């Protein structure tokens, strides 16, 4: 027993020595020897080492060998070898999650995807597979991650999110095995796997010297998209469609475009994000919609959450908040939009033309011209304050 321990210790010491000297090739050979050595005395350890070895070897020798994985329940979440941080974020949501705000065409595409899963047997009886993979493309904060989460909840599956920026920031030599570990884990049981910020690989490729390693990472993903089991769904998300390898692009069953919300969606978003406080802000809806137009859902949500906190604590009135918001946005607008905003403010608030002119930078003459008003002084009473 003591002898055996000493031998394990000696092997460990040798392994550490080689690893710290960054003699990767020697580490690999040594581990291969250890796999053979421990196969009989400690099959579990041998198997584990073999897995690591194959993940490592697969990057130098395409085509990849399939890893035989143990049963799902026995498998813990994969972690980064060095930091021990979990590689995957897990979401297990109830199916009653609120649906994200989605453009009509997008909603249709997703509902088809859900139907396919609900009627998977019917499809199978006709020799058809359900959609297995999709890539979400769009600017930040418009609901890509949120939709992945909702979709998983609708399918009654857990969502695992693999942030590729995090994978890529691990030592380059480890990115490959980290990626493999996460993919292998996700393939074992029905789930939705989201490869978030998949452009991280491409970005890294353009400013890194180790091009070979990155190509192999792309190869790993290419192959996975092709072979993803129909029991699960593989999703990817990116802000940068232009950075995605065309070969990768082609392999997804679906390309789903997320866009910044348009006017009706902005309006809906304002209603949703204000929740019970909508009653109070309802009268500003046109001004809010105008001001938030062109912004992402998450930016809109952030401002409205701030409003709600201020109202809850009584630190500002709704009119103050609106005025401050409009001020912060107005000067960045194009001239015509500033005029439109000025007109809207003139019609829907009791701000004086003087204040509106201050806020929007549009002259009082122009405001008068557009609102077809007499140059009257009737609105002077509540100068400087919004007060509907
Ligand atoms: N379509 C939407 N419907 C409702 N809320 C949304 C929507 N899009 C974004 N939000 C709000 O904004 C937050 C951030 O959205 P999400 O993380 O899904 O954006 P994303 O598109 O994944 O952005 P990124 O590209 O930066 O990862 C969500 O948690 C949600 O509160
Ligand atoms: Mg996201």
């Amino acid at each position: 027993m003591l002898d055996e321990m000493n031998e394990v210790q000696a092997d460990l010491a040798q392994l550490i020595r080689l690893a710290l000297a960054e003699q990767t090739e020697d580490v690999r050979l040594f581990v291969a020897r250890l796999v053979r050595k421990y196969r009989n005395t400690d099959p579990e350890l041998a198997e584990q080492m073999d897995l690591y070895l194959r993940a490592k070897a697969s990057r130098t020798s395409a085509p990849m060998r399939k890893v035989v994985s143990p049963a799902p329940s026995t498998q813990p979440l994969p972690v980064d070898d060095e930091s021990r941080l979990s590689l995957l974020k897990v979401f297990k949501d109830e199916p009653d999650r609120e649906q994200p705000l989605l453009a009509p065409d997008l909603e249709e595409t997703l509902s088809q995807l859900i139907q396919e899963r609900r009627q998977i047997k019917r499809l199978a009886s006709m020799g058809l597979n359900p959609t297995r993979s999709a890539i979400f493309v769009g600017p930040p904060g418009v609901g890509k991650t949120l939709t992945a989460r909702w979709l998983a909840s609708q399918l009654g599956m857990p969502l695992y999110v693999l942030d590729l920026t995090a994978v890529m920031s691990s030592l380059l030599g480890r990115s490959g095995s980290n990626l493999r570990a996460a993919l292998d884990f996700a393939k074992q049981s029905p789930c939705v796997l989201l490869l978030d910020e998949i452009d991280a690989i491409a970005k890294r490729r353009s400013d890194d010297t180790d091009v070979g390693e990155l190509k192999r990472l792309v190869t790993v993903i290419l192959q996975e998209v092709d072979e993803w089991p129909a029991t699960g769904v593989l999703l990817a998300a990116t802000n940068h469609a232009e950075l995605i390898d065309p070969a990768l692009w082609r392999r997804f069953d679906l390309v789903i475009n997320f866009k910044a919300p348009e006017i009706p969606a902005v309006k809906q978003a304002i209603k949703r994000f204000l929740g019970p406080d909508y009653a109070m802000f309802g009268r500003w809806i046109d001004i809010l919609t105008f001001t938030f137009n062109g912004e992402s859902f998450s930016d809109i949500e952030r401002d409205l959450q701030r409003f709600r906190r201020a109202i809850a604590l009584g630190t500002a009135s709704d009119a103050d908040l609106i005025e401050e918001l409009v001020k912060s946005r107005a000067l960045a607008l194009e001239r015509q939009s500033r005029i439109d905003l000025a007109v809207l403010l003139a019609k829907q608030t009791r701000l004086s033309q003087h204040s509106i002119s201050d806020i929007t930078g549009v002259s009082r003459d122009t405001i008068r011209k557009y609102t077809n008003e007499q140059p009257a002084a009737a609105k002077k009473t509540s100068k400087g304050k919004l007060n509907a």
Side-chain angles (χ1 to χ4, degrees), residues 79-255:
V79 292
D80 181 272
D81 289 343
E82 193 153 288
S83 65
R84 309 303 296 167
L85 290 175
S86 176
L87 295 169
L88 294 170
K89 241 190 284 165
V90 187
F91 297 94
K92 290 179 175 157
D93 292 306
E94 294 301 314
D96 57 4
R97 261 188 90 78
E98 192 175 25
Q99 183 186 322
L101 297 161
L102 300 166
D105 58 332
L106 213 155
E107 191 172 341
E108 210 164 288
T109 309
L110 290 171
S111 108
Q112 154 104 19
L113 198 155
I114 294 166
Q115 281 313 313
E116 289 175 8
R117 294 287 165 161
R118 294 197 175 143
Q119 305 189 48
I120 201 161
K121 283 192 182 132
R122 195 161 149 206
L123 283 183
S125 72
M126 293 179 248
L128 295 170
N129 266 326
T131 303
R132 289 171 309 154
S133 60
I135 182 163
F136 292 175
V137 189
V142 294
K144 299 182 296 297
T145 306
L146 188 70
T147 301
R149 213 171 146 178
W150 174 76
L151 193 62
S153 77
Q154 290 298 301
L155 300 177
M157 295 177 186
L159 171 71
Y160 296 116
V161 180
L162 177 66
D163 186 339
L164 281 164
T165 311
V167 170
M168 296 306 297
S169 68
S170 58
L171 275 180
L172 202 47
R174 282 211 314 275
S175 325
S177 44
N178 279 347
L179 179 62
R180 273 237 77 89
L183 292 167
D184 287 339
F185 174 85
K187 273 191 292 190
Q188 285 164 29
S189 56
C191 72
V192 178
L193 175 65
L194 171 62
L195 305 176
D196 217 355
E197 310 206 29
I198 196 171
D199 47 273
I201 290 182
K203 255 190 238 145
R204 182 76 179 256
R205 178 149 55 168
S206 54
D207 54 37
D208 208 291
T209 42
D210 199 349
V211 173
E213 166 74 21
L214 290 158
K215 278 210 174 118
R216 282 190 288 275
L217 282 183
V218 174
T219 313
V220 169
I221 295 186
L222 283 181
Q223 197 173 10
E224 292 300 340
V225 182
D226 269 347
E227 296 176 1
W228 202 253
T231 46
V233 182
L234 179 63
L235 300 177
T238 177
N239 301 146
H240 298 283
E242 73 286 358
L243 292 179
I244 304 296
D245 195 317
L248 180 57
W249 199 246
R250 270 200 315 274
R251 280 180 163 79
F252 286 94
D253 290 341
L254 272 179
V255 174

